[in-house]
Structure formats: structure tokens, C-alpha cells
Amino acid sequence: MFYYYGRKKQISKYYPAPQFDTIVEPFAGAAAYSAYKDNWKKNVILIEKDEKVSNIWNWLINEATEQEILNLPELKIGEKSSDFLHIIHAATKMAFHFKTIKVTAVLERNWEISKRIMSQNLYKVKHWQILNDDYSNAPDIEATWFIDPPYKGEAGLGYRHSSKLLDYDKLAEWALNRKGEVIFCEGKEGDYLPFKPLVDLKGVAGKVNKEMIYYRSNV
């Protein structure tokens, strides 16, 4: 629905399709997996600890209209904005720490695209739920659990609730106790579960980012 550093929009096709009627994303972010293809039709429960990100989802799910989104002002190169929804479209993991940002060509383009996508797809999320809480307080139910935390190490440092604040052994234990289907995302430094390679992604300047996955299902 909106740009977010580390979102899974480009690689959602590589993950298993949900086998349960409910999808829970305990590190919601932009919830690209739940928005992929027909996944949105499921009973989707988003858990997001970052209050600013949670507020975006609350607005989209419970308040926003298509016309309201289309009427949001355009951004112009060179101007400044303190709106968090604008800031996260800056295509940088450090955006979460900015209070204001100067509009670049990238930000202007990302915002224009997101306005269109949000308005066109708003109807898909109106039955979703959003909880502003820690992952550990997610409802203990049988579901498809799409777990996409800040990746261990440097890759996960940019977020407001970053990798340096996560106890990954505790997270692994919690994940293993989920009922249903577990789809767990990580990067190359993930070593707290038996992760396996999913796909290699080409990043900036030819850098290759390795996406890893841990998968388990009781079906």
C-alpha cells in the first residue's frame, strides 16, 4: 500500500501461499505479503510496534476514503516535509530517524505512485485489523504467520525498533510456538533458526542481498 524500507513487494511471489483463513503479520511494516494477489481477502491481523507506522494503517483501515487519498497534496522537489507518511517514501532505511526531509526526485516519484496505489487498493484493507503492540502480544491463534522482523545485524538497524533492540533467541522460541503455518524471513546473518536460501536480490552498485526463509506448517 505504501513504500517501506525492507518491504516484500518485489519478492512476495517467492513465499508459500497462505494455507489458513487468517494471516498474522507481527512485524507489519507495509504488509506486502498480505496485500499480494488474493492474500488480502483473508482475515488479516497486523501487529506493528512503531506507533507512527501503526497510525498509517489505522488511518487506511478505519478512516481514509479513496477520494481523500487522491486529494492529498503532491510533493515538489526542493520543499520540506515533516509528515511521516512522506518521509518513509524517501527510499532509505534512515528515514525512520528523520523529523523532516527535503523532497528529492525519488521521493516525489514514490509518493505519486503510492497515492495511486493506496487509492486503488484501499477497499482491500477495510476488513483488516491493526494492533499497535509488540509481536509477543499477538493473538495466540492458528493462522499463517508471516514473520518479517528487522533482520539481524546491520540490515535491521535503520528501524525505530531496530535489530539491536531484539532478542532473536526469544523471537525464535516464540515463532516455534505459533500454531499453524510459519513463514519467517531473514537475511544472511540469520542464525537463530535453520534458515534456508530463498532468493538473491541485486541491490545498489551490484551488491547481492540474500533473502533467507524458515518454513514450517502443520498442514
Side-chain angles (χ1 to χ4, degrees):
M1 289 289 285
F2 51 88
Y3 187 89
Y4 193 86
Y5 174 77
R7 68 178 179 172
K8 296 296 184 287
K9 181 176 181 179
Q10 302 302 324
I11 61 172
S12 290
K13 61 184 178 181
Y14 295 106
Y15 293 105
Q19 297 181 340
F20 290 84
D21 291 334
T22 297
I23 299 174
V24 183
E25 291 208 39
F27 298 87
Y33 177 79
S34 292
Y36 179 67
K37 284 195 171 180
D38 286 340
N39 292 0
W40 64 270
K41 295 180 179 179
K42 303 284 188 178
N43 174 35
V44 176
I45 302 174
L46 306 180
I47 319 293
E48 177 53 59
K49 190 172 184 177
D50 190 325
E51 185 176 9
K52 290 185 176 181
V53 179
S54 177
N55 286 342
I56 294 173
W57 278 115
N58 184 64
W59 173 66
L60 289 170
I61 293 169
N62 299 310
E63 300 173 15
T65 65
E66 180 180 348
Q67 193 58 49
E68 184 179 1
I69 293 172
L70 291 174
N71 289 341
L72 291 172
E74 296 180 357
L75 295 181
K76 296 182 180 180
I77 297 174
E79 67 182 11
K80 291 185 178 181
S81 176
S82 58
D83 190 320
F84 181 69
L85 185 54
H86 295 160
I87 292 173
I88 58 173
H89 284 80
T92 170
K93 66 181 179 182
M94 297 311 298
F96 297 90
H97 301 285
F98 295 157
K99 293 183 179 179
T100 61
I101 195 166
K102 188 174 182 180
V103 178
T104 63
V106 171
L107 175 51
E108 180 189 45
R109 183 179 67 252
N110 287 345
W111 176 242
E112 180 183 356
I113 294 170
S114 270
K115 278 182 58 179
R116 183 176 70 250
I117 291 175
M118 285 191 294
S119 64
Q120 291 175 347
N121 294 278
L122 184 65
Y123 71 95
K124 296 180 180 179
V125 307
K126 288 301 185 180
H127 68 283
W128 293 12
Q129 300 176 59
I130 175 65
L131 303 175
N132 177 213
D133 213 334
D134 186 73
Y135 76 87
S136 60
N137 292 321
D140 187 14
I141 58 175
E142 186 177 63
T144 292
W145 291 83
F146 189 80
I147 305 173
D148 182 21
Y151 287 179
K152 187 175 181 180
E154 184 179 352
L157 287 177
Y159 305 98
R160 187 170 288 110
H161 300 283
S162 69
S163 57
K164 66 181 180 181
L165 302 177
L166 266 178
D167 182 332
Y168 285 94
D169 290 331
K170 181 179 178 182
L171 173 59
E173 181 181 1
W174 174 86
L176 292 173
N177 285 320
R178 296 309 92 200
K179 296 187 284 283
E181 179 181 31
V182 173
I183 305 170
F184 200 126
C185 313
E186 245 297 355
K188 63 181 180 180
E189 295 188 41
D191 57 1
Y192 48 94
L193 283 172
F195 294 102
K196 296 181 179 180
L198 177 70
V199 64
D200 288 350
L201 298 175
K202 288 185 178 181
V204 179
K207 181 181 178 182
V208 175
N209 297 314
K210 290 187 174 294
E211 290 289 332
M212 310 292 286
I213 184 174
Y214 168 77
Y215 181 77
R216 190 212 70 206
S217 176
N218 62 10
V219 176

